[in-house]
Amino acid sequence: MLIQKAYIRNVAPYLEGIGEGVELRMVAAVTDANRQKLPRIGFNDPPGNGDTILPLGVGAVSRFNAEGRWMAHRDEPKEERYIRTVRWRWTEWRGRDQEEMEDFKDIYRLCYPRSFIEPPAIELTYVETDAGAFVVGPVLLNQPDNREAIRHCTNLLLELFGECQFMRRDISPFENVKMRRVAWKMLPEGAHPWPRLERHLADVLRPYSDNTKAVIFDRQKTILSHHPEEFFVGTGGFSDYIAYVFPHHGLVILECIRWGNAIYAFGQNWEAFTKLTKAEVISAGVHEARIVHTEGWKERLARLLDNRNAKHQAAE
């Protein structure tokens, strides 16, 4: 059945006639009319057969899918919470002279407690067959405890393409396509990485204030001062991350530039890291260390790298 709606609240009527326990997937046909939407949600232009992405957040459903959301508990007392870091500038007098000063300050406010709802992180795959081109979701089992996942995947494709349909796995030619994740793009090598990274950040952070940009730029310069051998910028739903690779430390440092205000350290090589989905990236059971961007974070990062380097060298 072809579904042509902006959003569905109840997926059950669309599953009538599909037996319980049957494997299914959501599919959106790629047409001349909607093909231009592919690069907007994170696919390469042109996409390759089997390219798999976490789609970029372009609406409420896809933003939740890529980033998750916070749920405030307004029935509980407010508590102090770190909000952001700002650049503070002032002028001091030195006798008859003036000196421009600058510092970074953490801002805290009283807020309702909140819980983070992790993103579903549904990935989509571009597939070409004799019948045409399609964007397909993951294979899901039609069973009661999967109804919400099926509904979310349906609404995700409806938001991105305006229509979609269920297809059965046993008659679908899509399942044998080998996936090739394209969530990361390596920036060119060179002795001066900051200008290239700055250009990328300027595009990603265009809606933000100059003060916010200054804080984020300072964080990236701090990490670069430790001389990572490679660094990658995320694409699609990973565009709020930058990955710094320290092979001699056995670490991948992941910097979140939009939300979360934290650095994540993964004790894996780059090849292993790129196989992680976003749901796995933000899972507490996967990363080795988490450093929140509050006062003293630069020192904590330096200690982490020093300790890891010593440990890695001792193991060699």
Side-chain angles (χ1 to χ4, degrees), residues 109-279:
R109 290 180 184 169
L110 286 176
C111 305
Y112 288 111
R114 60 181 184 172
S115 299
F116 182 64
I117 303 175
E118 294 192 355
I122 293 294
E123 296 182 326
L124 302 178
T125 300
Y126 176 84
V127 176
E128 294 177 346
T129 71
D130 293 339
F134 302 89
V135 171
V136 304
V139 175
L140 299 171
L141 283 178
N142 180 25
Q143 54 191 27
D145 59 355
N146 252 357
R147 293 289 189 273
E148 181 56 33
I150 295 172
R151 186 178 76 92
H152 170 73
C153 190
T154 303
N155 284 324
L156 179 64
L157 284 173
L158 289 176
E159 180 178 273
L160 298 177
F161 296 100
E163 62 181 35
C164 60
Q165 60 184 315
F166 292 110
M167 293 193 69
R168 294 183 60 176
R169 178 171 182 169
D170 59 356
I171 64 171
S172 167
F174 310 153
E175 62 188 20
N176 294 323
V177 175
K178 184 178 180 180
M179 293 196 310
R180 179 170 61 92
R181 281 198 175 87
V182 288
W184 301 96
K185 178 174 64 177
M186 182 180 180
L187 293 184
E189 298 178 358
H192 303 286
W194 171 244
R196 296 188 298 280
L197 183 56
E198 187 177 26
R199 286 194 294 271
H200 168 75
L201 289 173
D203 289 336
V204 176
L205 301 175
R206 187 176 291 111
Y208 293 81
S209 69
D210 289 342
N211 278 341
T212 298
K213 291 177 183 177
V215 172
I216 295 174
F217 285 175
D218 177 70
R219 292 173 180 171
Q220 311 320 309
K221 290 180 179 178
T222 298
I223 300 175
L224 285 172
S225 70
H226 294 282
H227 308 295
E229 289 197 11
E230 296 176 329
F231 59 103
F232 297 75
V233 295
T235 62
F238 279 90
S239 62
D240 47 358
Y241 287 99
I242 300 175
Y244 299 87
V245 184
F246 295 83
H248 295 300
H249 300 68
L251 278 180
V252 174
I253 297 295
L254 193 65
E255 161 76 347
C256 177
I257 61 176
R258 281 188 176 164
W259 61 271
N261 297 300
I263 288 174
Y264 296 88
F266 296 82
Q268 298 169 313
N269 60 37
W270 177 245
E271 182 178 353
F273 177 80
T274 58
K275 296 177 181 178
L276 298 177
T277 65
K278 188 168 184 178

Side-chain angles (χ1 to χ4, degrees), residues 253-309:
I253 297 295
L254 193 65
E255 161 76 347
C256 177
I257 61 176
R258 281 188 176 164
W259 61 271
N261 297 300
I263 288 174
Y264 296 88
F266 296 82
Q268 298 169 313
N269 60 37
W270 177 245
E271 182 178 353
F273 177 80
T274 58
K275 296 177 181 178
L276 298 177
T277 65
K278 188 168 184 178
E280 291 170 330
V281 164
I282 65 175
S283 170
V286 177
H287 57 262
E288 185 172 296
R290 180 174 181 266
I291 300 175
V292 179
H293 285 126
T294 52
E295 185 175 355
W297 75 267
K298 296 181 181 180
E299 292 77 12
R300 293 194 291 274
L301 174 63
R303 286 196 298 270
L304 170 67
L305 289 170
D306 288 344
N307 292 339
R308 183 70 189 201
N309 186 41

Side-chain angles (χ1 to χ4, degrees), residues 30-41 45 160-161:
V30 178
T31 65
D32 292 339
N34 65 20
R35 182 172 288 274
Q36 76 278 4
K37 295 180 180 180
L38 296 179
R40 296 177 188 172
I41 63 174
D45 188 14
L160 298 177
F161 296 100

